[in-house]
Every structure is written in structure tokens, then in C-alpha cells.
Amino acid sequence: MQQELKSELTKQIIIEESFKLFYEHGFKTTSIDKIMTATKLTKGAFYHHYKSKKELGLEVIGIKLQKRVYQAMIKPLSSDGDAFKILENTFLDRLKSLPLFDKQHGCPINNFINEIGDFEAAYQTALKNIIEQWKLALVELIERGQKENSINKSISSHAVAVYLISAFEGIRGIRKLYNNDLILDEYISGLSLYLKHLKSIK
């Protein structure tokens, strides 16, 4: 049992440090050697858990990226209350609360999509699964809002969901080019206006 716990802890350390390196420096430029230096583990420890960097990358996507997107952008959408307010708060609160590091380095899932989304089918599938879960949660919330009359019934829930995800990920990428929040603040103002058009007129 103790050996199993030690093995699991080693795996968690590899995943955690790999995610940090992938986020800050990119997936392709982060070598196994760099990961092992960061973890202070041996290559033997790495290959005990993973056959390749690809296998590790898929686990980072499935564990770290999945959890980040779920906690920040999917879970809040299932809250009780006014669907429009939940939609508005989820996007605006997230953008307003981003740490400086996240502003400077963009969105991890967006970085992965841009870097390796077209690199191999396995990466594409893993990343697409996260986006599809996010899209489904948005569609469900928007359609709930339409039934409850807090969101305009004439809009396409699927079209709005795709637009919101795309615009959100886009500004996260663009913000990396700037050394201040002006572009982000302008986007937040524009997003607020767009969201108001989704609100049902009672």
C-alpha cells in the first residue's frame, strides 16, 4: 500500500510540473529532460509511469486542463438561479479575476489547441472533448434560460455557445501580446453589450 501511494504521488508530481512547463514554455519545446529536472526525479521514474511524452501530454489534458475548464467555466453553469445572470457572471467574473500569470500566458487549453490541436488525432480528440463538454453545458443553460424567459427565445443556443467559447479563448490569446489590461477591458465592455442582447425582454 505504501509503495502504491508513493507511486501515485510520483505520478502527480510529474503531471503537475509538466503542466506548469507546458503552460509557460509550450508543449513541443518542453523535453522529458526538462520535466525530470523540474521534478527532481529520474528518467526511470518517468518511464515507469509513461511510455512517452505523448502519453503524458494526453494525461495532462485529461486531468489538468479538464479540471481547470470544468471548475472555472462548466461547473458554474449548472448553478441554480437566473440563467442569464449565471451566463453573464461565469464569463465576466472569470475574465475579471484572472491572475497576472494567466493573462501573460493565455489560456492553457487554447495554447494546447494552437500548438498541437492539428498535430495528432489523439490530442485533437482529447482537446475537442473538453470543448464539447463546455459547449453542451452552455447550450443546456441557454435553453433553460429560454424556457424560464430570462434569455431571448429567438437565439440559437448552439450558435451562441460556440461564439462565446471562441471569443473567450480568442481574447485570452490576444491578451498575451499586451503588457496591460486595456485590450481585455475593452473586450469585457464589448462582451457585456453582447450578453445584454441575449437577455429576454420581459
Side-chain angles (χ1 to χ4, degrees), residues 73 91 95 107 109-110 113-114 131-132 134-135 138 158-174 187 191 194:
M73 302 305 298
F91 280 86
L95 289 169
C107 178
I109 189 170
N110 194 32
I113 289 169
N114 288 327
I131 297 298
E132 286 297 318
W134 188 3
K135 178 187 170 186
L138 279 167
H158 287 262
V160 170
V162 170
Y163 177 77
L164 286 173
I165 292 170
S166 302
F168 179 88
E169 291 302 326
I171 194 60
R172 293 293 308 276
I174 291 170
Y187 172 78
L191 177 61
Y194 173 75

Side-chain angles (χ1 to χ4, degrees), residues 123-191:
Y123 295 135
Q124 193 175 50
T125 299
L127 291 163
K128 188 164 68 174
N129 284 342
I130 298 173
I131 297 298
E132 286 297 318
Q133 288 173 28
W134 188 3
K135 178 187 170 186
L136 177 62
L138 279 167
V139 167
E140 288 177 349
L141 176 68
I142 292 165
E143 291 181 353
R144 174 165 76 81
Q146 289 174 320
K147 288 176 184 175
E148 296 169 354
N149 204 32
S150 65
I151 294 177
N152 193 322
K153 289 184 170 67
S154 68
I155 65 169
S156 164
S157 58
H158 287 262
V160 170
V162 170
Y163 177 77
L164 286 173
I165 292 170
S166 302
F168 179 88
E169 291 302 326
I171 194 60
R172 293 293 308 276
I174 291 170
R175 173 58 180 81
K176 293 191 290 184
L177 303 174
Y178 295 83
N179 58 11
N180 60 55
D181 284 343
L182 180 59
I183 194 78
L184 185 61
D185 292 340
E186 290 173 338
Y187 172 78
I188 288 171
S189 295
L191 177 61

